[in-house]
Structures are given as structure tokens and as C-alpha cells.
Amino acid sequence: MPELAAAEILLQIVLGLIDAGQVIHRDIKPANVLFYEKSWRIADFGVARFIAEATASRTLASNFTFEYAAPEQFEGAELTHATDIYAVGCVAYSLITGSPPFSGEDFEIAKQHRQTLPKPLTGVAVGFENIIRPMLRKRPEVRLTLDRAKSLLE
């Protein structure tokens, strides 16, 4: 997909996550991003809302799609907006390359998300890659924030 079109989709995803406030989606993936009324919208907030209302931040932490899950989801760590940003980075990678950053059996994908850097994006403007790479950082505290991602995508 051309970078400009991908950036517009990613911006709309990020804006949707910002609009969701404190709710963490936990399963951002292409199948949960739908084109509706001339814009891209995030679907399937049902589990996210249920989890947000639960008393434990780790409740149902395993409800995610391996190809788009953040490293902390495999470790049972607390999930934050950084978890969703990582998934947005995986979606971005898919939009540009046609496939998620990691593939294989579930255990292999989990290991790759925790330990392996995705293959470099080729044929992509450096500025665009400089938006996607920080989304895919392994440590949540050093990933782009939603607000920073919004600013860069705009």
C-alpha cells in the first residue's frame, strides 16, 4: 500500500484509540479496522471494555492475535496504551509489506515479538519508517505515545 494511504489509515486508528480514552483495546489487527462511512474505524471493543471494568489489569490478558500482540502480552504484564501502539506498528508493517512483522507457529511468533527485530522496511521513505520503528520497540516505556504517533502521522 502506498505510504500516504497507509499513514491516513494509521492516523485514523490512532485517533480512535485516543477517543477511547483510558480503554486499552488489546487486539488491534487488520480484521478489527473497518472502513465505515468514509473513514477507518476500530471494531471489537467488547473485550477491551469488559477487561477495563474488571478488577485485575491482567484479566483475560491472553485474548489477542499473536501476529499483532505486544511483547508484554506474552509475559502477562500490565497492558497500557503502549500495547495498542505496538499493535498499530504491526498493522503498519502489514500495510507496507503485505504481512505482519513476525510469522510461524504461535510459540515462534511469541518469541520473535519478545526478542527479534522485524526485518527492515525496504523501499519506504525514511521519515515513514521512523514512525513505524518506534511503535515496534520491545519495551513499552520507549514506544511512541498515542499523542506523538498522532503528531507524526499528521
Side-chain angles (χ1 to χ4, degrees):
M1 173 174 285
E3 293 168 32
L4 191 56
E8 181 57 35
I9 293 169
L10 297 171
L11 176 59
Q12 290 180 36
I13 295 170
V14 168
L15 291 171
L17 291 170
I18 290 170
D19 285 347
Q22 295 304 310
V23 176
I24 311 302
H25 189 284
R26 294 167 168 81
D27 196 25
I28 297 292
K29 60 185 175 185
N32 284 339
V33 179
L34 308 173
F35 192 70
Y36 179 73
E37 295 185 356
K38 300 182 182 180
S39 66
W40 293 95
R41 313 247 178 133
I42 302 169
D44 201 12
F45 268 100
V47 171
R49 291 190 194 287
F50 173 75
I51 295 170
E53 294 170 3
T55 55
S57 63
R58 297 179 190 175
T59 302
L60 296 175
S62 63
N63 285 353
F64 55 79
T65 303
F66 275 58
E67 289 81 1
Y68 299 92
E72 59 270 20
Q73 289 178 278
F74 298 104
E75 298 163 358
E78 183 176 354
L79 306 182
T80 66
H81 287 297
T83 305
D84 286 342
I85 276 290
Y86 186 91
V88 173
C90 291
V91 169
Y93 197 96
S94 293
L95 289 173
I96 297 301
T97 68
S99 60
F102 304 114
S103 61
E105 297 295 324
D106 285 351
F107 73 92
E108 294 168 336
I109 295 171
K111 182 178 178 182
Q112 292 170 35
H113 277 295
R114 291 190 324 271
Q115 300 174 2
T116 306
L117 293 176
K119 292 178 185 171
L121 295 168
T122 56
V124 176
V126 173
F128 193 62
E129 186 170 13
N130 287 340
I131 297 170
I132 297 171
R133 283 268 168 222
M135 291 180 178
L136 294 171
R137 291 178 177 151
K138 302 299 180 191
R139 293 185 10 240
E141 66 273 10
V142 296
R143 286 185 206 133
L144 290 182
T145 64
L146 288 172
D147 288 334
R148 182 68 178 141
K150 173 185 176 261
S151 175
L152 292 171
L153 289 164
E154 288 177 330

